[in-house]
Amino acid sequence: MMLALRRACIFRALVFMAFLPPPQHAQDPAMVHYIYQRFQVLEQGLQKCTQATRAYIQDFQEFSKNISVMLGRCQTYTSEYKSAVHNLALRVERAQREIDYLEYLREADMCVESEDKTLAEKLVQEAEEEERIRTLLNASCDNMLMGVKSLKIVKKTMDTDGSWMKDAVSDSPKVYVFIGSRNNTVWEFANIRAFMEDSTKPGPRKLILTHSWQGTGQVIYKGFLFFHSQGTPNEIIKYNLQKRIVEDRMRLFGGAGRALAYQHSPSTYIDLAVDEHGLWAIHSGPGIRSHLVLTKIEPDTLGVEHSWDTPCRSQDAEASFLLCGVLYVVYSSGGHGPHRVTCVYDPLGTIMEENLPNLFFPRRPRSHSMIHYNPRDKQLYAWNDGNQIIYKLQTRRKQPLQ
C-alpha cells in the first residue's frame, strides 16, 4: 500500500515539472513565487501519503497480532477437543466390551434353548409341508410303473416331430394331432379309427388357433388345450377348443424357457403333462447342467400349486411323463437308444429308483418327439420318427405311506 502511494506522489511531481516554464522565464518573481507554492503543496501531499501509509502499516500489524492470538486459542481448543474425544472413545470401547461380555453370558444361557426351539420349528415346518403335499397329491391313485408291455404303431406320417393325444379326462373319443414343433393348426379326428384310416368319413376337422404353439408339450384337459406360446420364453396359454378363444394365460417362472427341457428334443422348452392328479409342467432349471423342475398347476386358475427341483438331468433326456404323481424321465444315448427310464422322482418319497425294475422301451431308430400319459386310457401316447405309437403299461400298487 505504501509503495503505491509513493508512486502516486512521484507521478504527480513529474507531471507538475512537465509544465514548468522554460529557463528564460526562471527570473520572473511571480513565477518563482508560484513554483515555490506548488512545491509546498506537493510536499504537504507527500507528508499526507507518508502518514496514511504509516497508519495502514500500524493497522495491519495490529490485525496480524490479533490473528496470531486467535490462531493460538484455536490450537488450544483443538487439542482440548481431541483429548476429550479420545477419552470418550476409550469410555465407549470399555462400555462395548462390557456389553459384549454380558451378551455372551446371556447367549450362553439361551443357546441350548434356542437350538431346541429352532429345530422344533424346522420339524414343524417340514411336517406341515409334507402334509400339504400329501393333501395336494391325495387322489385315488396308487399305481407305479413296472414295465412297457407292448407297442402299437397306430399310424405313420412324414413328419419327424409332432404330438397326438386324446382329452386326458373326458370320455370323448376325439383324437387331436399337432404336426411339427411350431404351428397353429390342429387336426381333430372323430375317433382313433378315423385317424388310422384316411378314407374314413367324415374327414378331420381343421382348427386354426389364434396363437401358435412351440415344442411338442401340448396337452388337452377337460376340453381345453394347454400349450407353450411360440415367441415367448415361458407363457402358457389355456385355449378353449369349442369357442376357439384364449381362455387364460400364465407365466411360468423358475428358469422356465431359458433352456431345452430335454437335450434330444430340440424344440421343447416347456413340456406339459396330465395324470390322475391333474396338470403339470416340466422344464429345465437354471444352470449349465441343469436339472428338471416339476411344477403342479391348478388348471382352472392357472396358479402354481407347488414346484419341486428334481434330481433328473435334462442332459441325454428325450421325454418324460407322469403317472400317479411320479415323474418318469426317458433317456437315450445320442438320441438313438436304447430308450429307458433312468430317473424317477416321487414328491411323496414312496417310490425309490433302486426298487424299480429296468424300464426299457422297445428300440426305435430315433428319440421320441413326445411321450404323454393318458390317465383315462392308462397308456402312453408317443411320437417317434413320424410314427404315432401307443405303449401299453404294466403297473403295480405303490407301497403305502408310513
Side-chain angles (χ1 to χ4, degrees):
M1 180 69 72
M2 181 177 178
L3 180 60
L5 291 173
R6 286 182 176 178
R7 287 179 178 178
C9 294
I10 293 171
F11 177 77
R12 291 173 61 186
L14 292 175
V15 172
F16 174 77
M17 291 177 67
F19 291 97
L20 288 176
Q24 61 270 22
H25 299 289
Q27 301 301 321
D28 189 348
M31 180 60 67
V32 172
H33 179 72
Y34 172 76
I35 293 172
Y36 177 76
Q37 288 181 341
R38 300 310 299 173
F39 271 109
Q40 284 183 335
V41 172
L42 180 61
E43 185 178 359
Q44 291 174 358
L46 290 174
Q47 289 177 355
K48 290 181 179 180
C49 288
T50 302
Q51 292 175 358
T53 301
R54 289 175 179 174
Y56 289 139
I57 293 174
Q58 185 177 0
D59 291 342
F60 181 76
Q61 290 176 347
E62 187 69 22
F63 175 76
S64 299
K65 182 179 179 180
N66 293 336
I67 291 296
S68 299
V69 173
M70 294 175 67
L71 288 175
R73 292 176 181 175
C74 288
Q75 291 178 354
T76 303
Y77 293 152
T78 302
S79 300
E80 293 177 356
Y81 290 151
K82 285 184 178 180
S83 177
V85 170
H86 179 69
N87 293 334
L88 180 61
L90 293 177
R91 295 176 63 183
V92 170
E93 183 179 359
R94 190 183 309 113
Q96 186 63 46
R97 288 199 300 266
E98 294 177 355
I99 292 174
D100 292 342
Y101 178 70
L102 294 175
E103 185 69 18
Y104 168 76
L105 295 178
R106 187 180 66 85
E107 290 181 355
D109 294 336
M110 299 178 60
C111 183
V112 176
E113 180 182 354
S114 178
E115 290 181 356
D116 291 343
K117 183 179 179 180
T118 302
L119 180 59
E121 290 177 351
K122 184 177 180 181
L123 292 175
V124 170
Q125 291 177 355
E126 291 178 352
E128 290 176 350
E129 181 69 10
E130 183 178 353
E131 184 62 29
R132 195 171 75 85
I133 294 175
R134 290 189 183 187
T135 302
L136 180 64
L137 303 181
N138 183 21
S140 57
C141 178
D142 57 357
N143 291 330
M144 58 183 292
L145 181 64
M146 295 303 295
V148 177
K149 289 196 300 184
S150 63
L151 170 152
K152 178 181 180 182
I153 298 178
V154 177
K155 190 175 182 177
K156 180 173 178 59
T157 64
M158 301 300 295
D159 303 286
T160 302
D161 295 322
S163 61
W164 73 294
M165 66 203 68
K166 292 182 179 181
D167 193 311
V169 294
S170 75
D171 295 330
S172 173
K174 293 179 180 180
V175 174
Y176 298 88
V177 179
F178 302 78
I179 297 175
S181 59
R182 289 175 175 84
N183 207 332
N184 69 334
T185 302
V186 182
W187 295 96
E188 180 188 271
F189 294 83
N191 49 50
I192 198 166
R193 183 179 180 85
F195 173 58
M196 294 172 62
E197 301 174 3
D198 295 333
S199 59
T200 304
K201 301 298 182 181
R205 187 168 66 129
K206 185 178 181 180
L207 306 178
I208 305 297
L209 308 180
T210 58
H211 292 68
S212 297
W213 73 77
Q214 178 173 329
T216 58
Q218 307 84 13
V219 295
I220 296 179
Y221 184 70
K222 295 182 179 180
F224 295 95
L225 168 63
F226 297 84
F227 63 90
H228 178 197
S229 179
Q230 181 183 353
T232 67
N234 56 359
E235 184 177 68
I236 306 298
I237 287 183
K238 177 182 180 181
Y239 192 87
N240 191 318
L241 289 174
Q242 184 177 1
K243 298 179 181 179
R244 300 192 185 184
I245 61 172
V246 174
E247 194 78 18
D248 201 354
R249 63 185 72 202
M250 69 172 292
R251 292 194 180 275
L252 195 62
F253 296 100
R258 296 180 183 175
L260 292 171
Y262 316 113
Q263 180 183 357
H264 299 309
S265 184
S267 60
T268 302
Y269 289 82
I270 299 175
D271 190 15
L272 300 172
V274 175
D275 72 347
E276 292 81 359
H277 296 290
L279 182 63
W280 303 79
I282 305 103
H283 63 85
S284 179
I288 299 177
R289 293 189 172 183
S290 55
H291 292 72
L292 295 178
V293 176
L294 178 63
T295 301
K296 183 73 175 61
I297 300 175
E298 211 294 314
D300 295 330
T301 63
L302 290 187
V304 174
E305 295 183 288
H306 201 282
S307 288
W308 296 265
D309 294 324
T310 76
C312 303
R313 293 170 55 184
S314 57
Q315 184 179 5
D316 288 331
E318 60 180 74
S320 70
F321 58 91
L322 282 110
L323 188 156
C324 289
V326 179
L327 177 67
Y328 298 86
V329 185
V330 183
Y331 293 86
S332 60
S333 177
H336 301 291
H339 314 280
R340 60 174 296 189
V341 175
T342 56
C343 186
V344 177
Y345 179 72
D346 180 9
L348 294 178
T350 58
I351 296 180
M352 299 299 175
E353 194 171 318
E354 55 269 18
N355 298 330
L356 293 173
N358 292 326
L359 299 175
F360 283 94
F361 283 79
R363 190 176 184 90
R364 303 298 303 165
R366 295 188 58 181
S367 61
H368 291 84
S369 175
M370 56 82 66
I371 301 176
H372 282 173
Y373 174 70
N374 188 301
R376 183 167 59 90
D377 297 345
K378 308 296 183 184
Q379 55 191 13
L380 299 177
Y381 288 73
W383 190 298
N384 183 283
D385 196 23
N387 296 285
Q388 290 75 55
I389 302 172
I390 290 179
Y391 291 111
K392 293 189 179 296
L393 305 177
Q394 178 183 358
T395 60
R396 70 173 176 84
R397 296 189 62 181
K398 293 190 288 187
Q399 297 295 327
L401 287 171
Q402 300 297 325

